[in-house]
Amino acid sequence: MSYRIAVDTGGTFTDVVVADAQGHLVVGKALTTPDRSYEGFSAALANAAEITGVAVETLLGETEVLIYGTTRSTNSIVEKKTAKTALLVTEGFPDILLYRQGGKREPLNIVIEFPPPYVPRRLTFEIPERINAEGGVKTALDEAAARATIAGLAKMNIEAVAVSLLWSIANSAHEKRLGELIAEILPGIPYTLSHQLNPIIREYPRTSSTAIDASLKPLMQRHLTEFESDLRAANYQGEILVSACSGGVMHVKDVVEKPIYTVKSGPAMAPLAGIAYAEAEGEGNDVIIVDTGGTTFDVSLVRAGQIKFTRETWLLGEWIGHNLGLSSVDVRSVGAGGGSIAWIDSGGLLRVGPKSAGAMPGPACYGRGGTEATVTDAAVVLGYIDPNFFLGGRMALDVSAARKAILAIADQSKMSAEQAAFAIITIAGEQMIKAIQEITVQDGVNPAESILVAGGGAAGLNILPIAKALGCAKVLVPRTAGALSACGGQYSNIVAEFSASQYAHSGNFDFAGVGRALDGISQQIETFSKELRGRGITQFNSEFFVEARYINQQWEMELAMPLETIKSAADVEVLVQAFHDVHFRRYAMKEEGGAIECVNWKGRLTAILEKPNLPEEIAGKLKAPVAKRVSKTYFGGDEALDAPVYVGIDLSPGAKITGPAIIEEPTTTIVVYPGATARVTERRNYMLETETENKA
């Protein structure tokens, strides 16, 4: 029998999903081991192997593909543990990363402090040269000065170099020469050239992505090499793919060359699982996917079967943080996971996150030395989580430690422990609602028209009140919800994107320039697909996109091109009309007859991989659900309520449970609030219906 393994290494837990030849999925879970990721993976795999009844050695030996997702790159940026990186820029433009894009969330707040640039000014060096917007050489590259600058980097113990020169996308000669000089003078030091990584107009996102990529190369090269070495030592002979922020997977060697694609790559897998589950359950293809992990709450969106992408992926705060700059799956994240810490601010208000207890020491209830109250501690105090059934009973929780941590918050707020715990769950939920509204309401999408697919170990704790607040009548919680991102890896394909910049005004369209840009993208797609054919892949899909805007608009909007080529005025009119339609659908307005400006062009190649089919519907006799016990559970009222607790594996398809109740799975817990219902589907997932739906 052949297997397929997907891994998601989070900040708190490492999730492993094993798929067999029939498409059955088994979830293994273990605490993440930051010092050496393979140890956490090995423990999670051992858990999955125990469930399947197959030895770990046999499981690895019979696995053909392993898909690896990790938060290592994201966490290293957030924790400022990336390589010491130098940035080389055009003389006169040293502050690109400092000024960013000039905006901020609170324009009238004059005291807000901007964090320092991604690469410090003291490590930013100006190179005498200048290319103009047409690609002409305005100032020749001063090689003597460049050599002196690069030689000086060795004395500063620089570990990586980023090169981003003005208009290198129009003429890359100077950047290429600097790359040659770096390789000559600093052999072995990794570097990134902006025109190769992200050839787009707008120097800030291009420079930001270049700096991020270079800073990650030493770290991720070591990490991926180490993980692959550990796998091979354990007798794994199959292929290793790595999840990417593009919503697909990449081969290890490609990721080593462009490690920026691993940033936010874990959450980018969740929508793949979300749409697969929603369509299998016959719930359509308009889906909001939420993934509540130990550290963050991540939200993504699928409309009409299409995953939403963006170039505005920010780390450490929108406008004031660092922009990924690449086209990536649009994932909104807030620090409201199961390990998020509750605290009282200077004004006496209760807050939750963004700081997390992580895996070590973890929430107080883990008994590993943590003392600060977290969302998980609150759930334990409220009776939502059985301390003897956490991780399927493999890890006992310390109820007294959880209560002590919550009481520290309660005493400051003059509340009981239960009131404080419920307040923590509620505040975390409010942050989650805000994140969902940002990706839906603010982009012209009514969340009530979509089904919520909820995943993550902590997803079931408060997803029903969140759905009710959003007007969503249904929530689908897959049986494998505790590892939703890893499940997404099981349904992933290889995805590669190629970009080019070429300005074109719809009233005076540059057919030749756009033709060259699209031809260049097509050639890159063909070259890459030829390489993949050599690896045995035969099915491919390609799509083309354009980033365009109305005249005088500041920001572009990406839309799929209605035509593969643009060769006539009639083709331009088709493109303009498509822009009007998409703009109206998203923002409820359009400028009929208005001209548009096209800025960036993109091609996306999808190489179709074999993937497990979701198991067929299960036929069987309906059995009345039988509770294993009754829990005193607090839902915010004056008194605790008796909530029957059901074990998920004992529930038959078609079983219906009315809240208050709790359903326990080995990797997640589903809280059915008073007035809501949960139904076990024919595929053994859980369809939750809110109180609003029941009353209707």
Side-chain angles (χ1 to χ4, degrees):
M1 180 180 289
S2 62
Y3 297 95
R4 180 182 172 107
I5 296 175
V7 189
D8 180 36
T9 305
T12 305
F13 286 101
T14 294
D15 301 330
V16 167
V17 176
V18 178
D20 62 19
Q22 287 73 44
H24 296 102
L25 304 182
V26 173
V27 175
K29 209 174 187 75
L31 289 172
T32 294
T33 50
D35 293 336
R36 198 169 187 89
S37 294
Y38 184 82
E39 295 177 4
F41 160 73
S42 181
L45 183 63
N47 175 223
E50 181 180 356
I51 297 171
T52 59
V54 179
V56 171
E57 296 76 11
T58 303
L59 193 58
L60 279 176
E62 297 183 3
T63 295
E64 297 178 349
V65 176
L66 186 144
I67 299 160
Y68 179 59
T70 177
T71 59
R72 180 63 63 94
S73 54
T74 306
N75 292 343
S76 67
I77 294 171
V78 173
E79 297 168 5
K80 300 180 181 179
K81 294 181 179 179
T82 53
K84 186 177 183 181
T85 305
L87 172 63
L88 307 185
V89 298
T90 299
E91 186 175 51
F93 295 86
D95 293 317
I96 295 173
L97 295 183
L98 177 65
Y99 292 144
R100 296 172 174 84
Q101 290 178 174
K104 59 181 180 180
R105 278 286 189 180
E106 303 173 62
L108 300 180
N109 186 349
I110 61 174
V111 299
I112 188 172
E113 291 188 12
F114 275 65
Y118 191 81
V119 175
R121 279 287 278 108
R122 61 184 175 81
L123 298 180
T124 301
F125 302 91
E126 302 175 58
I127 303 298
E129 68 82 40
R130 184 68 182 272
I131 299 290
N132 62 30
E134 289 73 36
V137 178
K138 185 175 182 180
T139 302
L141 174 66
D142 188 335
E143 281 209 18
R147 281 182 174 275
T149 297
I150 295 170
L153 300 181
K155 302 175 184 178
M156 304 176 69
N157 298 318
I158 291 297
E159 299 172 299
V161 182
V163 182
S164 183
L165 305 180
L166 289 187
W167 293 109
S168 60
I169 55 174
N171 183 345
S172 61
H174 290 177
E175 276 198 358
K176 288 180 178 177
R177 182 55 184 154
L178 287 178
E180 294 169 353
L181 292 175
I182 293 168
E184 173 192 333
I185 301 170
L186 302 175
I189 297 297
Y191 63 89
T192 300
L193 307 181
S194 72
H195 77 277
Q196 293 178 347
L197 176 70
N198 192 16
I200 61 168
I201 290 176
R202 294 190 183 277
E203 62 269 22
Y204 169 67
R206 178 164 55 88
T207 304
S208 180
S209 60
T210 304
I212 291 172
D213 184 73
S215 73
L216 291 173
K217 280 183 173 175
L219 169 77
M220 294 308 295
Q221 286 171 355
R222 287 194 303 270
H223 174 69
L224 292 173
T225 300
E226 176 186 276
F227 186 77
E228 182 176 12
S229 176
D230 288 339
L231 272 175
R232 300 307 183 194
N235 198 34
Y236 177 68
Q237 304 297 323
E239 190 168 26
I240 301 174
L241 302 174
V242 181
S243 60
C245 62
S246 58
V249 294
M250 302 170 65
H251 285 93
V252 172
K253 75 176 188 64
D254 297 323
V255 177
V256 167
E257 294 175 1
K258 297 180 178 180
I260 189 173
Y261 281 99
T262 63
V263 180
K264 291 269 189 178
S265 63
M269 293 292 103
L272 300 177
I275 185 63
Y277 280 117
E279 289 183 337
E281 293 289 353
E283 293 296 332
N285 54 15
D286 289 333
V287 189
I288 300 169
I289 301 95
V290 299
D291 189 0
T292 314
T295 306
T296 60
F297 173 83
D298 304 313
V299 188
S300 50
L301 182 68
V302 173
R303 295 293 290 173
Q306 298 296 312
I307 297 173
K308 187 174 184 291
F309 287 81
T310 182
R311 281 193 185 272
E312 294 298 312
T313 297
W314 291 84
L315 300 169
L316 300 176
E318 188 177 16
W319 305 113
I320 62 174
H322 313 301
N323 192 341
L324 205 60
L326 298 170
S327 175
S328 59
V329 175
D330 192 356
V331 179
R332 309 296 171 90
S333 301
V334 292
S340 295
I341 294 172
W343 52 287
I344 305 295
D345 67 15
S346 58
L349 296 177
L350 176 62
R351 308 284 290 276
V352 177
K355 185 179 177 182
S356 173
M360 292 295 293
C365 61
Y366 284 11
R368 294 170 175 260
T371 58
E372 296 178 287
T374 68
V375 173
T376 300
D377 294 312
V380 170
V381 169
L382 293 171
Y384 296 173
I385 295 177
D386 183 350
N388 298 314
F389 195 72
F390 194 68
L391 293 184
R394 291 185 295 122
M395 180 177 173
L397 300 182
D398 188 336
V399 179
S400 61
R403 193 170 189 84
K404 182 178 179 181
I406 296 296
L407 280 172
I409 296 292
D411 291 343
Q412 297 180 66
S413 306
K414 294 182 174 56
M415 294 187 288
S416 68
E418 287 75 16
Q419 288 172 330
F422 192 76
I424 290 170
I425 293 286
T426 301
I427 291 172
E430 291 297 326
Q431 295 183 54
M432 296 170 180
I433 291 169
K434 182 180 178 182
I436 295 172
Q437 289 175 333
E438 284 184 358
I439 202 172
T440 55
V441 176
Q442 292 186 17
D443 205 15
V445 174
N446 181 0
E449 297 174 354
S450 303
I451 183 171
L452 267 173
V453 175
L461 298 179
N462 61 348
I463 193 61
L464 275 169
I466 289 172
K468 182 178 179 181
L470 293 167
C472 296
K474 294 182 179 180
V475 179
L476 176 62
V477 181
R479 185 170 292 275
T480 56
L484 191 67
S485 290
C487 284
Q490 293 285 2
Y491 303 105
S492 61
N493 297 307
I494 293 175
V495 176
E497 294 188 343
F498 306 92
S499 300
S501 290
Q502 177 62 53
Y503 177 84
H505 188 292
S506 61
N508 184 25
F509 202 81
D510 185 352
F511 292 101
V514 171
R516 285 192 298 270
L518 293 176
D519 287 344
I521 292 172
S522 297
Q523 290 172 9
Q524 293 180 78
I525 287 177
E526 178 56 33
T527 299
F528 190 68
S529 60
K530 184 177 180 180
E531 179 184 341
L532 294 179
R533 288 189 185 97
R535 298 174 180 173
I537 299 172
T538 58
Q539 288 184 276
F540 300 90
N541 291 328
S542 58
E543 303 170 276
F544 289 84
F545 303 84
V546 61
E547 293 179 12
R549 65 196 178 206
Y550 284 121
I551 303 299
N552 297 322
Q553 275 190 323
Q554 184 176 6
W555 305 111
E556 296 82 35
M557 179 186 70
E558 180 181 286
L559 70 150
M561 288 179 57
L563 303 167
E564 290 189 5
T565 59
I566 302 176
K567 296 183 177 180
S568 66
D571 292 343
V572 174
E573 183 56 36
V574 171
L575 177 63
V576 171
Q577 189 57 51
F579 179 88
H580 291 327
D581 294 342
V582 174
H583 199 281
F584 183 79
R585 187 167 65 247
R586 291 186 185 177
Y587 307 114
M589 65 83 63
K590 59 181 177 179
E591 188 179 328
E592 284 286 9
I596 67 171
E597 297 173 302
C598 302
V599 178
N600 296 315
W601 308 83
K602 182 179 73 177
R604 179 184 298 138
L605 174 69
T606 302
I608 310 300
L609 299 177
E610 291 186 9
K611 49 185 69 68
N613 294 317
L614 285 171
E616 296 297 325
E617 297 182 2
I618 300 172
K621 184 178 180 181
L622 175 63
K623 299 178 183 178
V626 178
K628 75 168 186 178
R629 64 184 181 89
V630 175
S631 173
K632 289 291 184 181
T633 311
Y634 190 84
F635 291 98
D638 294 331
E639 300 291 338
L641 302 179
D642 288 334
V645 179
Y646 301 90
V647 178
I649 197 171
D650 295 337
L651 298 175
S652 64
K656 187 174 182 179
I657 294 170
T658 302
I662 294 172
I663 302 172
E664 293 181 340
E665 285 286 336
T667 57
T668 192
T669 298
I670 302 169
V671 180
V672 186
Y673 283 67
T677 61
R679 176 177 55 84
V680 182
T681 72
E682 298 303 312
R683 296 179 183 272
R684 299 191 69 89
N685 298 312
Y686 299 102
M687 186 65 69
L688 312 183
E689 296 185 356
T690 64
E691 183 179 2
T692 301
E693 173 73 1
N694 292 333
K695 288 183 177 180

